[in-house]
Structure formats: C-alpha cells, structure tokens
C-alpha cells in the first residue's frame, strides 16, 4: 500500500514538473538560433537644441533660415541692445579715467609693463572701432537688400524700354529707305553728267529716344552693380560680428591683464603710499564692472553652441525679444540616434555598450556602427516592452532625422 502511494506521488511530481518546465520555456526567450543577428527597422532621431536670447533687445539680423546647416560658433542672430552697449561704454570710460588718475600719480615711472599696457589699450580701442563699423554695416543689410531688388527691377524696365526703342528705330529706318528708293513717287531724268550722279545714301543718325534708352540702361546697370557691392560688403561685415565681438572681449581682457601686471610691478617695488593703493583699488573695481558689462554685451551676438540643422526660426528682423526667448531650434546631427522596442523576453539578447551596425535600405553604400546608449522598460510590469536607444556617429550628416534605417545587433 505504501509503495503504491509513493508511486502515485512520484507520478504527480513528474506531471507537475513537466508542466512547470513547459511554462518556463514558453515564457523565456527562444534558445534556438541565438547566434543569429537581431535586425530591426528604426527611424533616425536627433536631439533638439534651442538657442535662446541672452539679452533683451531688438533683432537686427537673422543670419540663418530653416533647412540651413550650421557649424558650432556660427552667427545665428544679432540683437541690438542699446542699454548693454551704453553700460559697456560707460564701464570702459570709468576704467580709462581711473587709470589716468593712477598714471598721473605714477608719472616718471616708465617700464616694460607700461608699454605693454599702452599697446593692449590701443588694440582694444581698434577692436571696438572695428566692431562698431561692422555693426553699422550690418544694420544696412535689410535696406540694401531692398535697394538691390529695386535696382534689378529698374534694370529690367530699362532693358524692355531699350528693346522697344530699338524696334521703333529699325522700323523708322526701313520706312526712310523705302521712301528714298521710290524717289518720293516722282521720276527724275538723268543729265548724263558724272558730277550730278546720285551718291550712296549715308547711314541714318541714331534717334534721340534710342540714345536716351541706352543711357538709361547703362545707368541702371551701374546702379545695380553699386547696390550689389554695398550689400556684399554689409553681409561680410555682419558675418564677422561674432569674431569681432570675441576680439573686443579678448583685447579688453588683455588690457586688464596688462594693468594688473603694472600694478603688481609698482606694488613689488615698494614705492607709493595709501593714495596709490586707493587708485589701484578703483582701477580693479572699474575693470571688474567693465568685464561684466562686456560679457553681457557679447550675449547680443547669438551663435550656435553646436553644429546642426536649422529646424525652426522663431524670430524675424525688427522683432523685440526678452532675455531667454527662443530664437531658433537646431537638430544636432552628430551624433544621432535611433530607438527600437523589444519584447520583454528578447531583452536579454542585448546589453548596454553593445555594438550595433546601421544601414540605410535606400542607399546600400551608407552605413555606420554605433552602440546601445540606454535601455529601459516602458512600465514596471514584468511583461512590459523595453525601449532601446542606439547612438551612432554622423560626421558627414548622411543620416537625417526621419530617415528609415536597419539596425543589426551584433
């Protein structure tokens, strides 16, 4: 009896174990063919970079348009901020005034540091003037663009008028020749005298209206050439605003360093008294205020923090902006990413840092190799699918957002 009971229990255990094993295998990833690569389709995505206004002011120039490719440091927009400019100029003047008072106290002390300071201040002054000239030219870009368009319209009109005048002149010449050939309808007898023989008709003079039409077209061509040259010069100046602003900042910083070296030299010599120390303190304080004002003024020249594709331009020339408002939205194209969804029972086939081959079905010769940068479940449920993000380099901008690609997990 006991033996029969044991046999029955053993049979039940076998049945239950077989059922549990079947359930476990059914809920686990397929073991067969795990060496075969996992290939999935995905859509290329790119991180968005929103470029904000660093200062309050009026938009004087928007240097990009939607669809443009930009590089890091490229000019995006230029804001005219009179308050920041006035504050920077006042701060620079305060530095110069404080330095003059200190120099007056130190008269008769020429040194290498003093010469260095003089050169640095001259370079800073030149840089400020160059930036102001470029800004003045940059302000003329919208007006000159309209002027070029008007000059082109005037040239087209003058060209049409000249063609009409030439047609009228040709028609008049043909009529004159026809009248001369018929002798005005009256037959003339020849006298037989060679001296009275009829001479060949002379070339017809250019009519005044044709001469005037030619003159107007030439004047229109010259006006268009001048306008285009002025526009090119203004656009070149506008494109240099970011570099010139950096130069102003760098030269002013160099002048501050030269002043600091000179002050340290005087202090090391142990000469001077409390009055000189007070003036040195005034110079340092003025320099700190000027450096802060220059940093704020630089924010009026908006540049791209990273390269990418201009997806959206939110402002236009003439618009008033507050600090922090969005100007453009870029899509960073290097690196880019693609995301796929994996079932819970397939997640153990991939892992972070795993290499992934990427190809483009529409272009066989374009491929790249990336790696898994992130993977996380969509919810806390054990059966929840996972989102896997693959990041890959894109130095030649071959993979644009929205492109369909194939991902092969190695």
């Amino acid at each position: 009896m006991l033996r029969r009971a044991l046999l029955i229990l053993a049979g039940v255990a076998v049945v239950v174990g077989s059922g549990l094993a079947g359930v476990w295998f059914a809920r686990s990833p397929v073991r067969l063919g795990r060496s075969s690569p996992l290939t999935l389709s995905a859509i290329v995505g790119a991180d968005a970079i929103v470029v904000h206004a660093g200062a309050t002011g009026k938009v004087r120039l928007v240097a990009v348009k939607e669809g443009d490719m930009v590089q890091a440091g490229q000019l995006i927009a230029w804001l005219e901020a009179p308050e920041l400019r006035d504050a920077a100029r006042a701060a620079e003047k305060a530095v110069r005034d404080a330095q003059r008072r200190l120099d007056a106290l130190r008269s008769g002390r020429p040194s290498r540091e003093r010469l260095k300071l003089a050169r640095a201040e001259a370079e800073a002054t030149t840089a400020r003037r160059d930036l102001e000239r470029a800004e003045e030219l940059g302000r003329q870009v919208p007006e000159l663009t309209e002027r070029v368009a008007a000059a082109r319209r005037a040239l087209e009109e003058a060209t049409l008028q000249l063609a009409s005048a030439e047609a009228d002149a040709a028609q008049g010449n043909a009529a004159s020749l026809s009248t001369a050939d018929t002798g005005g309808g009256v037959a003339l007898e020849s006298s037989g005298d060679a001296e009275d023989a009829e001479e060949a008709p002379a070339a017809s003079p250019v009519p005044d209206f044709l001469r005037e039409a030619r003159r107007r077209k030439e004047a229109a061509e010259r006006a268009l050439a001048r306008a285009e040259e002025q526009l090119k010069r203004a656009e070149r100046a506008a494109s240099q605003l970011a570099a010139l602003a950096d130069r102003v900042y760098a030269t002013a910083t160099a002048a501050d360093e030269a002043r600091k070296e000179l002050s340290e030299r005087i202090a090391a010599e142990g000469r001077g008294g409390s009055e000189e120390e007070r003036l040195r303190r005034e110079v340092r304080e003025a320099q700190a205020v000027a450096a802060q004002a220059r940093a704020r003024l630089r924010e009026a020249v908006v540049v791209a923090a990273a390269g990418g594709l201009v997806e959206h331009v939110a402002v236009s020339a003439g618009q008033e902006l507050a600090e922090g408002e969005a100007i453009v939205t870029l899509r960073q194209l290097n690196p880019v990413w693609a995301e796929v969804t994996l079932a819970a029972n397939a997640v153990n086939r991939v892992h972070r840092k795993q290499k992934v081959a990427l190809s483009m079905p529409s272009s066989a010769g374009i491929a790249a190799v990336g790696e898994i940068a992130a993977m996380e479940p969509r919810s806390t449920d054990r059966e929840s699918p996972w989102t896997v993000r693959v990041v890959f380099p894109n130095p030649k901008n071959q993979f644009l957002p929205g492109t369909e690609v194939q991902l092969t997990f190695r």
Side-chain angles (χ1 to χ4, degrees):
M1 190 71 179
L2 179 61
R3 182 178 178 184
R4 183 178 180 183
L6 291 175
L7 290 174
I8 292 173
L9 289 176
V12 171
V14 170
V15 171
V16 172
S18 300
L20 291 176
V23 171
W24 185 81
F25 275 102
R27 295 171 63 94
S28 300
V30 178
R31 263 61 179 173
L32 297 176
R34 291 194 56 181
S35 61
S36 61
L38 177 64
T39 301
L40 299 171
S41 296
I43 301 298
V44 175
D47 292 335
I49 302 173
V50 180
V51 180
H52 299 91
T56 298
K58 178 183 288 188
V59 180
R60 297 298 302 180
L61 178 68
V62 179
V64 298
K65 62 182 182 299
E66 293 177 2
D68 284 354
M69 300 291 297
V70 299
Q71 303 296 325
Q74 183 174 334
L75 178 67
I76 296 294
W78 170 43
L79 306 181
E80 188 172 25
E83 294 180 0
L84 295 181
R85 183 171 304 286
D86 293 343
R89 288 174 176 171
E92 294 289 353
K93 183 177 183 302
V95 172
R96 292 194 296 272
D97 291 343
Q99 188 65 48
R100 276 196 294 268
R101 291 192 294 271
L102 183 58
D103 290 343
L105 184 66
R106 294 171 174 174
S107 59
R109 297 181 184 177
S111 65
R112 179 182 62 83
E113 289 80 4
R114 188 179 298 279
L115 295 176
K116 181 179 179 180
L117 174 59
R119 287 194 297 269
E121 287 180 335
E123 292 175 357
T125 300
T126 301
R128 284 195 302 271
R129 290 174 180 170
D130 291 344
L131 178 59
E132 289 173 358
R133 283 195 293 267
E135 289 175 340
E136 180 62 29
L137 287 172
R139 293 188 188 97
Q140 301 174 13
V141 169
E143 177 186 350
L144 291 174
T145 301
E146 291 295 329
R147 189 180 299 176
V148 168
R152 285 174 179 160
R153 290 192 297 269
L155 178 59
E156 291 174 358
E157 182 179 354
T159 302
L160 292 175
Q161 291 176 353
L162 176 58
S164 178
E166 288 175 341
D168 291 344
Q171 186 177 2
N173 290 338
S176 298
L177 291 175
S178 176
T179 302
D181 290 342
T182 59
V186 179
L188 299 178
E189 296 181 356
S190 176
S191 63
D193 191 347
E195 293 179 356
D196 296 334
E198 184 179 352
E199 297 180 354
S204 301
V206 178
D208 291 340
F209 67 87
L210 179 56
R211 187 180 296 109
E212 178 62 20
R214 290 173 178 171
R215 185 194 65 77
R216 283 198 298 268
K217 182 186 177 185
E218 291 172 356
E221 289 173 342
R222 290 193 296 271
L224 176 59
R226 286 195 301 270
E228 289 178 337
E229 179 59 31
Q230 291 171 351
L231 177 59
K232 289 179 181 178
R233 190 160 54 246
E235 288 176 338
R236 282 196 300 269
S239 67
Q240 296 171 356
L241 283 173
L244 290 174
D246 289 342
R247 182 182 164 206
V248 168
Y249 184 83
T251 54
T253 302
D256 289 345
E257 290 295 329
R259 294 188 187 98
K260 181 180 178 181
E261 289 181 12
L262 181 58
S263 298
E264 291 174 351
R265 167 70 181 273
I266 297 301
E269 291 176 352
R271 294 194 293 269
S274 59
E275 179 65 14
E276 182 170 338
E277 179 57 34
R278 183 184 67 81
L279 290 177
R280 283 203 301 268
R281 186 166 56 253
E282 284 186 7
V283 171
R284 289 194 297 270
E285 292 173 354
Q287 289 171 351
V289 173
Q292 185 178 7
R294 287 194 299 270
R296 291 286 297 156
L297 185 58
R298 286 184 70 192
E299 295 175 353
V301 180
V302 184
V303 299
L309 176 69
V310 179
E311 182 179 62
H312 176 63
V313 178
V315 301
S316 58
Q319 182 175 341
E320 293 285 349
L321 284 185
E323 182 178 352
E325 283 194 59
I327 296 178
V328 300
T329 301
L330 307 176
R331 286 290 174 179
Q332 187 175 358
L333 296 184
N334 188 27
V336 291
W337 49 265
E339 288 184 344
V340 294
T341 300
L342 293 180
N345 62 355
V347 172
N348 63 349
R349 297 188 62 180
V350 299
H351 58 83
R352 291 179 185 271
K353 302 297 182 180
Q354 181 177 346
K355 297 301 180 182
V356 181
L358 178 142
S359 60
M360 190 182 301
S362 59
S363 300
I366 299 179
V369 176
E371 64 179 28
I372 297 178
M375 47 188 299
E376 58 184 16
R378 291 188 176 181
S379 69
T380 56
D381 186 2
R382 285 186 57 189
E383 301 301 322
S384 170
W386 285 59
T387 299
V388 178
R389 173 173 286 200
V390 178
V391 176
F392 53 93
N394 188 28
K396 297 182 179 180
N397 300 332
Q398 295 174 307
F399 301 99
L400 298 179
T403 304
E404 182 180 358
V405 293
Q406 294 286 337
L407 302 180
T408 301
F409 295 80
R410 298 178 175 178

